[in-house]
Each structure stands twice: as C-alpha cells, then as structure tokens.
Amino acid sequence: MREVAVIGVGMHRFGKTGDDIVGTKSVGELCRTAVDAALKDAGVKWKQIQAVAAASSRFSGGKGWGLNGNDVVEDLGSTGVPVYNMSAGCAAGGNAFNVGYSMVAGGVYDIMLVVGGEVMPKGMIQTSGVEEATDPEFLRQRCIGMPGPSFWSTLARRRMFEYGTTEEQFSQVAVKARQCSVHNPNARFQKAISLEDVMNSPYVSNPLRLFQICPVSNGAAAAIICSAEVARQFTSKPITVATSTVATMTFDDMLPRGLADPITDCPNLHTEAQNAVTSAFERSAIGPGDISFTELQDNTCYYELAFPEEWGLCKPGESERLLMAGETTPTGSMPINPSGGFVSFGEATTAMGVFQIAELTWQLRGQAGGRQVPDAKVGLAQTLGLGGNATAAILKR
Amino acid sequence: MSEERVPCVEGLFSEENGVAVLHGSKCSNCQTPYFPRSAACHNPDCDDSNMEDFDFGGKGVLWSYSVADFPPPPPHKFDQPFVPYVMGVVDLDCGLRLIAQMVEKPEEVKVDAQVQLIIDTLYHEDGKALTTWKFKQI
C-alpha cells in the first residue's frame, strides 16, 4: 500500500433551495464550484485527474440512476476517465473517499477526484416509497407510524434514562455547534444561538427540538487525492491519509432498525460506526488518545454525546461533563465538530463524507480561522448511512 | 353496534380470544426469533438455517420511547385531527426488541415500565377501524 495524500479541497456553501446561497442551482452547478475550488487549491488541472470516485444520490442529478460522477465528468469535460459511483445512503461520500483512497493506495491511479453533492427535496427525508407488505420501512410506517426523527429521539430518551442527560445538555451541544459555525464561511447557519433559543424551539419528536436536529440542505464538497510521490510535485505540505475504512452493522447490533430485532447482549447501538472507527484505529495504529479533533455525523445532538463514548474517545457517561466544561469546543481537550457539524450545515446527504475531509484538511493545515483547533495534528471523520453503512477516515499532517 | 375491526396489514398479527399474537418465525437451530416472518436465518454464526413459524406476544420492559409531535408524511396514516402519539421500543420476554405505538399519552409513559402487547385501533378508513399491535403499561 502506498501513502495517500489530500492536496486540494473545495466546497460550495450549504443552503436551502430558494435561499440567497444556493437559490435554484442544480447539483451539477454545486459540484462544479466545489471541484473547481479543489482543483485550484491543489494546483491541479482537470486533465490531470486519472479517475473519479463520486457519491451516488437518489435525490438529485445522476440521470436518475445515481450516476453523479458521470455528470461531473461531462460538465468538466469528458476525458474518458474511469468513474466510480458509490451508493451507501448518507455514508456515500465516505464510501467514495474510501474507494479513491484504496485505488491510489493500491497503485491503480496516481491522482483522483473525490466528490459528493446534493440538492435535497423539502421536508423530512422520505424512505423507499414502496407500499408493499414485504418492505420493512413501509410496515414500520403503516403499522406503527414512526417518522425519521423518532428514531433519534428514542436514542436520546434512552440516554436521559441511563445517564441523566437533560434537555438543556442536548441544547448545549447545539449552542456549541452554532458558536463554531460563526467562523465557518461554508456553513448554512452562521449565527450563534442561545440556550434559550434552542429550548424555545418546538419539539419535533420529544425530547428532541427543532434546533437539535439537522435539516436537509443543498451543498457539495470535493477533494483531490494522490500518491505521496505525486503530492510532492504540487505541495510541500500535503495532508496524509492515515487510513480510510468502510464497515457495515453486525448481527448483534441492538439499534431498533426494523419492526423487531432479536435481543442480544451487544451494548453498541451503531455497530457499523464503531466497526468503521475501531478498524481505522487498528489499521493506522493511531489510538483515540492521539486524535486532535473529530468530525462526526451529528444528525442530532445525541450523537455528539454517544459516539465519543462508543469509540473510546472518552469514558461512558462522561460526555455531558466534557460538554459542559467546554472540552468539546475547538480549544477544549476533545474537540468535536469544529466545523459546526450537521446541525450548522444541514445534511446534504451524500456530500457529507467529503465535506468532513475538507474540514479535516483545513484544520490540519491551520486554515480554519476562528474555529481552528490549536496545533491540530490528527483528525478523525465518521459517516453513517441507511442500510447499516458507515465510514471513517483519519488524516494527519 | 361495534365497528368492524380490520388489521392495517393482513397476516402479520391477530387477536385470539382477546390476546395479541404476532406471527413471526424462529430458527430451530439457533433459536433466533424473527418478526415479521423470515425465510432464512440471518445469524452469521448459525450454519443450519431452519425456520419455523412462531407466535410472539406477552409482556416486556419499555427500553425507550419517542413522541410524534408532528403529523408524519405518507404512507403513515392517522385519524384527524392529529394527536401526538408515543412510540415505544420494548424488550419482550419472548426475546424480541419490538417497536409499537403506546396507548398512553406522552406524559404518562416511563422508561423501564412493564408493558403488555395488545391489539388496538390505529386509524379509521371507510367506516372501519384499522388495527395494529400496541403496548399498554401495566
């Protein structure tokens, strides 16, 4: 395996259809902005890209078949390069990065583009839309009536029972996230909010409130990756990919995903995420104690408290104390989501895995401005997607 | 005259002498329970998938719950006007972690409560009461 480097990243600021940020831009236009920025950042010309790994979307572009990478290549100029369109729900951006990383590490290509972009439909994310008794999503909706946010509020309620977490503490995660977003020009929301603002926002699914759950957004992100040898032609300070991993859930997982699951003694609720992160630690020989900061998938504030414990970044039940002591802010001892996270960006589903790579790169280069993690040396990124998909990546300088 | 009661989805459950029964299956080799029925055992440690029909029900403990504070999008169905409802995740004594609506109001529900599986009305359509399985605190 060869060492792989990130030499350029770019992003289109996240927004909502019709607003002043993304307006009516297509996913192709959003991706173009992100890719142009990443190429410029790397000092690489489009014709030097040997292959493309793209996140597949079922919501926008991709000719209705998730061929989003082909859209990008046609737009930038059809050079005949191989395109890999990766589908893994909200983990697709992370999957695309992993495929790019694996290809370059394995010596198949020397320089690749990794890209993810999304224009989201309005409202809650709809599931399959299939109305058949053989479809578990349909059964859950028709027989029980369980909309998406209920899944997250079930987890939040359990944490309140196990650790005494308060609604104010969930709210404090959002306050912390939005404080970071003030310093992120790519965030959709860039205004700080108070604890009172969060507590006054309506319940979407008790105990979780509107400002504690990420909305859907439009946005795009891109990264140029290459072998360490090629990187030296473009920069004296490449960011090194220590590892990139993909995992799926295991049978003993106790997360309530369908109508019913066999009860096991597995304490972990997101085995796919734990498997991806644990595998990243093992492959890179980098441990939780070596991580300078983490970008994790905070669809809701609950995850900022639960995930660090499940991965060994801190002890079980310790997250609330660390949060309240300010240790999860960029200048704390365990910075989480210095970008502002999904709560500040909104989720442009398949762009998120690449969005995290961009933030890790800016942080490790020391280019993160007012949200900079001081002396950031090693960053951890993690995504989670429908179907029991997860990815992790560790970048270092 | 009582209204006609019809399952919201046929074949998944029934009410036998007032007792709620879920129609699932169990692997006779590794004893893994499944609901709804599964054609094959999904346990990677089980090397002899041998599925048999099995009925589930009875009591359990409420692991956690959530509240639908807003009307959910289709294909969800509910009576008008919308009233926020509770969804419980229950560890049943029979070995299943099962999801269902709770009959109680949000402020009445407590994590770790003992619950009983019942059949109850989910919504009304064409003059009929469409039923499903639910939990009731005991």
Side-chain angles (χ1 to χ4, degrees):
Chain A
M1 296 277 276
R2 297 191 296 180
E3 193 167 274
V4 178
V6 178
I7 57 167
V9 291
M11 206 181 287
H12 189 295
R13 185 182 167 193
F14 283 40
K16 178 186 180 182
T17 299
D19 68 9
D20 293 337
I21 306 164
V22 297
T24 55
K25 282 183 186 174
S26 69
V27 65
E29 290 173 284
L30 299 178
C31 286
R32 179 67 186 239
T33 300
V35 174
D36 281 345
L39 288 168
K40 190 178 171 196
D41 186 40
V44 168
K45 290 187 173 63
W46 166 240
K47 283 188 77 172
Q48 290 175 289
I49 297 294
Q50 296 174 355
V52 175
S56 267
S57 169
R58 63 174 272 257
F59 298 110
S60 56
K63 308 175 197 308
W65 288 81
L67 306 176
N68 295 70
N70 299 84
D71 286 349
V72 168
V73 171
E74 281 178 29
D75 183 51
L76 281 135
S78 295
T79 52
V81 293
V83 171
Y84 302 89
N85 292 296
M86 305 311 302
S87 178
C90 301
N95 260 39
F97 182 75
N98 177 264
V99 166
Y101 163 78
S102 303
M103 292 283 192
V104 174
V108 180
Y109 308 110
D110 291 325
I111 183 164
M112 284 183 71
L113 164 69
V114 179
V115 61
E118 197 80 78
V119 168
M120 290 297 292
K122 281 183 182 172
M124 289 183 202
I125 295 175
Q126 300 285 309
T127 46
S128 67
V130 175
E131 295 209 10
E132 289 173 6
T134 52
D135 183 77
E137 285 288 332
F138 167 71
L139 289 179
R140 198 172 63 166
Q141 291 165 340
R142 178 56 52 80
C143 302
I144 302 164
M146 198 166 178
S150 301
F151 178 77
W152 298 322
S153 54
T154 302
L155 297 174
R157 177 66 64 186
R158 179 67 191 182
R159 188 170 179 91
M160 292 168 83
F161 174 76
E162 282 187 6
Y163 295 116
T165 311
T166 63
E167 292 189 37
E168 285 77 7
Q169 287 169 331
F170 286 126
S171 298
Q172 184 57 38
V173 177
V175 171
K176 190 261 330 174
R178 293 287 290 272
Q179 274 166 356
C180 294
S181 78
V182 170
H183 306 287
N184 196 334
N186 287 307
R188 171 171 158 189
F189 306 115
Q190 296 180 12
K191 200 172 146 231
I193 51 174
S194 67
L195 191 68
E196 204 175 19
D197 293 334
V198 186
M199 290 300 290
N200 285 337
S201 67
Y203 282 123
V204 172
S205 180
N206 186 325
L208 294 179
R209 296 171 184 276
L210 189 63
F211 288 180
Q212 297 164 341
I213 295 176
C214 82
V216 296
S217 279
N218 302 350
I224 310 297
I225 61 172
C226 64
S227 66
E229 194 185 325
V230 169
R232 280 191 283 276
Q233 298 171 25
F234 295 96
T235 174
S236 58
K237 289 182 181 172
I239 299 303
T240 301
V241 185
T243 194
S244 157
T245 58
V246 171
T248 54
M249 65 178 173
T250 45
F251 181 71
D252 57 353
D253 192 296
M254 281 305 292
L255 199 64
R257 296 174 193 255
L259 292 181
D261 294 289
I263 297 172
T264 70
D265 55 7
C266 175
N268 196 273
L269 298 171
H270 286 93
T271 49
E272 65 272 60
Q274 189 178 42
N275 292 341
V277 172
T278 305
S279 161
F281 287 148
E282 284 167 5
R283 282 166 183 258
S284 64
I286 287 171
D290 304 318
I291 300 295
S292 313
F293 68 101
T294 301
E295 283 287 325
L296 58 78
Q297 184 158 339
D298 62 320
N299 287 104
T300 173
C301 295
Y302 161 85
Y303 286 116
E304 275 209 32
L305 301 174
F307 275 157
E309 297 177 0
E310 291 177 18
W311 306 336
L313 292 172
C314 64
K315 295 189 186 102
E318 200 182 18
S319 284
E320 285 78 2
R321 182 185 66 74
L322 293 170
L323 166 77
M324 299 315 282
E327 301 294 357
T328 59
T329 64
T331 54
S333 61
M334 188 182 77
I336 306 288
N337 292 0
S339 68
F342 287 31
V343 166
S344 303
F345 273 72
E347 187 179 12
T349 55
T350 50
M352 303 318 281
V354 193
F355 144 82
Q356 291 178 336
I357 296 301
E359 177 66 12
L360 260 60
T361 301
W362 285 321
Q363 287 284 350
L364 293 168
R365 286 175 177 168
Q367 296 174 333
R371 66 182 194 284
Q372 180 67 47
V373 173
D375 198 31
K377 290 190 174 72
V378 183
L380 169 67
Q382 166 270 338
T383 69
L384 185 68
L386 186 68
N389 287 294
T391 69
I394 297 176
L395 271 55
K396 63 182 182 182
R397 67 173 160 91
Chain B
M1 203 179 84
S2 64
E3 61 192 354
E4 187 184 351
R5 286 159 63 85
V6 185
C8 66
V9 174
E10 287 289 341
L12 280 179
F13 61 92
S14 55
E15 197 169 10
E16 296 170 11
N17 302 320
V19 176
V21 178
L22 300 178
H23 304 306
S25 52
K26 202 169 196 173
C27 175
S28 63
N29 182 50
C30 71
Q31 305 303 312
T32 300
Y34 294 92
F35 174 74
R37 288 191 183 102
S38 177
C41 185
H42 306 313
N43 179 359
D45 294 326
C46 176
D47 50 16
D48 188 17
S49 170
N50 194 352
M51 305 306 291
E52 293 174 350
D53 286 353
F54 200 90
D55 286 343
F56 300 101
K59 293 173 185 169
V61 176
L62 185 66
W63 181 77
S64 188
Y65 69 93
S66 61
V67 180
D69 287 288
F70 284 94
H76 295 90
K77 291 197 175 182
F78 46 86
D79 283 338
Q80 299 288 352
F82 174 79
V83 178
Y85 57 85
V86 180
M87 293 145 284
V89 177
V90 167
D91 286 347
L92 287 170
D93 298 341
C94 63
L96 280 178
R97 175 168 286 183
L98 178 70
I99 308 175
Q101 275 195 26
M102 309 276 302
V103 297
E104 286 83 8
K105 293 186 182 118
E107 57 273 23
E108 298 167 346
V109 177
K110 294 271 181 292
V111 175
D112 224 24
Q114 292 279 324
V115 303
Q116 170 78 46
L117 192 76
I118 63 162
I119 303 298
D120 193 26
T121 302
L122 185 65
Y123 63 96
H124 293 81
E125 199 169 71
D126 301 330
K128 294 171 188 167
L130 280 294
T131 61
T132 191
W133 67 93
K134 290 189 186 179
F135 296 124
K136 187 181 190 326
Q137 292 188 159
I138 46 178

